[in-house]
Amino acid sequence: IIASDTAERTIIAPATSPSVQATPETRYADALSDSRRLPEEVARDPLRKPADMLAMMNLRAGHVTAATRPEEGFFTRLFPPVVGAGGHVYAFVPNQTAGRENAFADTLASTYSNTSRVTGQLETMTFDQPLDVVFMGEEYHDFTIPRFNVDVAAMNRRVFEVLKPGGLYVILDHQAAPGAGISVSGTLHRSEAAELRRQVEAAGFIFDGESSAVRVPSDAHTLSVFDASIRGKTDRFVYRFRKPL
């Protein structure tokens, strides 16, 4: 892992070994092997690189974190074992999808004693304590689709507000073609990394690094992420942003 608080553009390489004995990596490995994970989710690990996502989040014991629209909880299930009894995980469900997804978040809350569901508007999300990390996994593009009726600029400002100074906003999403911006978010379910970065930085965040772990150079960025020929194998980017101290 290579990271820098000062570099303008830092590449975070994939983690090389789950056997590293440094405490955070050990906790990540324990989370990955936790028996409460679902077998069908474990089977997706080679494509989704969860250890690398945890490293990008710099998640630590005692952290307070929110998973924004966790859906079934692939990534969110990893957070409670890492933050431990001294930390907390909020599974934040947007009002727009609450009818289907509150039940998913309630399952997470009943499975992990340090996890709770919060449902609300993305633009006014509220938690009962400041956060160390906000994670958004393959959801940002959905929030830019007009039918979701989300003020994305207000959402990013609100994430900025709920984070502690120095807190991290980590976004994983499907890459769109250069110049596409958010124009294909509702059709191909992709967003252009450069446009996402522009939007998040406009809220006051500092770009703090990116990961190459789930990049797929062979993806031509022309197919929907749900196309059977590419589903689960799209080119994805992971950007980390930091709230200034």
Side-chain angles (χ1 to χ4, degrees):
I1 302 295
I2 306 169
S4 171
D5 290 343
T6 57
E8 171 64 16
R9 187 172 179 85
T10 303
I11 300 295
I12 311 295
T16 57
S17 172
S19 63
V20 177
Q21 291 304 306
T23 299
E25 286 75 13
T26 299
R27 296 184 77 91
Y28 301 164
D30 289 345
L32 288 170
S33 62
D34 190 293
S35 62
R36 291 167 292 186
R37 296 190 70 205
L38 306 179
E40 59 269 28
E41 294 185 349
V42 174
R44 300 169 71 188
D45 285 355
L47 292 173
R48 305 201 81 179
K49 310 291 185 182
D52 295 281
M53 299 307 108
L54 292 170
M56 274 297 289
M57 295 172 66
N58 196 30
L59 203 61
R60 297 291 188 266
H63 271 180
V64 180
T65 185
T68 305
R69 197 185 177 197
E71 298 204 44
E72 291 87 347
F74 176 92
F75 288 111
T76 313
R77 287 179 186 276
L78 301 171
F79 303 160
V82 175
V83 304
H88 197 80
V89 178
Y90 295 100
F92 182 84
V93 182
N95 285 341
Q96 291 92 328
T97 59
R100 183 177 75 92
E101 295 170 9
N102 273 348
F104 297 149
D106 287 341
T107 296
L108 295 171
S110 65
T111 302
Y112 305 95
S113 60
N114 59 350
T115 299
S116 56
R117 170 173 65 85
V118 177
T119 298
Q121 287 295 120
L122 287 157
E123 300 92 335
T124 57
M125 63 179 83
T126 301
F127 307 96
D128 56 12
Q129 55 187 316
L131 306 179
D132 295 284
V133 185
V134 172
F135 178 77
M136 194 174 291
E138 299 177 0
E139 302 295 342
Y140 191 99
H141 68 271
D142 276 346
F143 303 146
T144 68
I145 300 172
R147 66 180 174 81
F148 267 75
N149 195 30
V150 175
D151 183 337
V152 173
M155 176 189 75
N156 289 331
R157 289 195 298 269
R158 186 57 182 160
V159 172
F160 188 91
E161 292 166 355
V162 300
L163 282 167
K164 299 175 183 177
L168 300 177
Y169 185 16
V170 179
I171 304 173
L172 160 69
D173 214 342
H174 304 279
Q175 178 68 287
I182 58 172
S183 65
V184 296
S185 58
T187 53
L188 304 185
H189 293 271
R190 298 171 180 265
S191 57
E192 185 190 9
E195 173 60 15
L196 183 149
R197 176 176 173 178
R198 184 195 67 77
Q199 293 181 2
V200 174
E201 288 181 328
F205 284 98
I206 297 169
F207 182 71
D208 193 55
E210 68 177 290
S211 172
S212 61
V214 287
R215 297 307 305 266
V216 181
S218 60
D219 180 1
H221 309 129
T222 57
L223 297 175
S224 165
V225 302
F226 299 113
D227 187 287
S229 67
I230 200 169
R231 187 166 188 173
K233 298 174 286 186
T234 56
D235 185 26
R236 284 157 290 161
F237 61 93
V238 192
Y239 276 4
R240 184 174 64 205
F241 301 90
R242 184 181 298 275
K243 179 176 178 176
L245 294 171

